[in-house]
Amino acid sequence: MSNCSEFSVVIDEDNYYLDSSEVAGSLENEVDEDCDGTAENPFRSFEQALKVLNSRRFTRFYVNGTFKLPSGETVISSNCMFLAQKNSQIIVPSDANIVVRNASFEADNLLFRKNRESNCVSNSKFFVLENSTALFKTSEFAGIFEENGIGFDCKNSVVEFNGCGLTMQSDSYVCALSGLDSKIAVKNSRVSAVSQTAVNFSLNGGQFDLTDCSCRVTAHLGRIAELCAVNASLSKNSYIGSFEKKVRGIVPVWSDRDSKILQDIENSSSGF
């Protein structure tokens, strides 16, 4: 008779589950220490998922429900993907933001929301991407800041939005996306910025592709895009400006002499 052997098998080490619904798991599973991220015993907080995420080269999360991030920076430093069920959302507190650093980040069918909160020091940025790549599909981003706000602050990164909605609002200045030496592509999406001074895209260096998008600024002063030393392709977009009063000389897309507009076709403008 042979000796008994004992061994363990990892069935799936790339896929994990985030579920905040009341019916997910048993009462024992709601204890933090017991959650292992499996479908039967999903993570119940984003902090639990983050520990796994940043310890691996790649992680895929299936998201169901609502998750609120902690205060301060939530730093993502490993490659990850978030696939959400309908009406799932991640709430970023007023004093917090998401930082993706030296990693790839993908989100599909997910709502990210940042609200202004009383008695809370506001962080003026929603997302920060540094030396990273990001792909957002059929996702929504809604950010409300205090005095100033930037929805996406991208440095040396490659970022694509496809079928998304970006809405950013503040009291004094707001920019939906700011980019430095980055490659930005926005397709089939809605972008809106609301403030005294509002800009959808403020880019310095890199490439910019805006296709089949509806872009709006509601402001005292505003532009759809400000481009410095950027190679840009703009096609099939609508630019809408809603201003307190008409300001002479304001154009929807401004570019400096170092920028190259490689394509500018079938774009419409109103309010400028």
Side-chain angles (χ1 to χ4, degrees):
M1 183 174 182
S2 61
N3 294 329
C4 294
S5 298
E6 182 177 341
F7 61 94
S8 62
V9 177
V10 177
I11 301 299
D12 191 340
E13 58 182 18
D14 291 332
N15 295 292
Y16 291 85
Y17 294 80
L18 268 164
D19 197 330
S20 68
S21 64
E22 294 181 356
V23 298
S26 63
L27 292 176
E28 290 81 3
N29 290 341
E30 294 183 0
V31 179
D32 287 354
E33 292 79 5
D34 292 338
C35 300
D36 58 12
T38 59
E40 296 79 13
N41 198 6
F43 292 135
R44 307 305 296 270
S45 72
F46 199 89
E47 292 95 322
Q48 292 174 339
L50 192 64
K51 292 178 181 179
V52 171
L53 191 164
N54 283 335
S55 68
R56 304 183 53 76
R57 292 186 62 184
F58 173 80
T59 314
R60 181 185 294 106
F61 293 95
Y62 296 92
V63 183
N64 180 42
T66 298
F67 298 87
K68 185 174 182 179
L69 301 187
S71 298
E73 290 187 342
T74 292
V75 179
I76 294 173
S77 56
S78 292
N79 305 330
C80 59
M81 177 187 297
F82 292 85
L83 303 176
Q85 295 187 17
K86 186 177 181 180
N87 299 325
S88 295
Q89 61 179 318
I90 292 178
I91 299 173
V92 180
S94 178
D95 60 349
N97 63 5
I98 298 173
V99 178
V100 183
R101 184 174 292 139
N102 302 312
S104 69
F105 184 95
E106 183 173 342
D108 191 348
N109 196 35
L110 192 55
L111 167 63
F112 294 87
R113 184 159 55 88
K114 182 179 177 73
N115 290 337
R116 178 187 299 189
E117 302 172 40
S118 59
N119 302 320
C120 185
V121 178
S122 177
N123 188 312
S124 62
K125 295 179 181 179
F126 197 162
F127 274 80
V128 176
L129 294 105
E130 301 174 350
N131 304 308
S132 297
T133 63
L135 173 60
F136 302 103
K137 297 187 291 185
T138 59
S139 294
E140 294 285 331
F141 304 87
I144 302 177
F145 306 86
E146 289 189 72
E147 285 296 311
N148 304 305
I150 297 176
F152 288 81
D153 187 14
C154 311
K155 297 181 178 67
N156 300 305
S157 295
V158 178
V159 185
E160 179 179 338
F161 299 87
N162 197 328
C164 295
L166 288 76
T167 303
M168 305 296 160
Q169 179 180 339
S170 74
D171 291 340
S172 181
Y173 170 84
V174 75
C175 176
L177 188 148
S178 173
L180 175 63
D181 295 329
S182 295
K183 184 177 180 180
I184 309 297
V186 186
K187 306 173 183 178
N188 189 31
S189 297
R190 297 170 287 100
V191 184
S192 178
V194 182
S195 188
Q196 281 295 302
T197 302
V199 181
N200 283 176
F201 306 100
S202 179
L203 306 178
N204 192 330
Q207 301 178 39
F208 181 45
D209 181 2
L210 187 67
T211 305
D212 198 21
C213 292
S214 173
C215 303
R216 175 188 290 269
V217 289
T218 302
H220 175 69
L221 294 172
R223 286 196 177 102
I224 300 302
E226 296 178 340
L227 309 176
C228 297
V230 174
N231 291 337
S233 295
L234 314 169
S235 60
K236 301 180 180 179
N237 305 297
S238 65
Y239 308 141
I240 303 170
S242 179
F243 302 109
E244 296 175 4
K245 61 179 180 180
K246 184 72 174 181
V247 179
R248 185 176 299 177
I250 295 291
V251 294
V253 177
W254 176 88
S255 60
D256 68 355
R257 65 176 62 185
D258 295 322
S259 293
K260 294 182 180 179
I261 306 301
L262 304 176
Q263 189 176 59
D264 187 2
I265 59 171
E266 298 184 52
N267 300 300
S268 63
S269 174
S270 64
F272 290 93

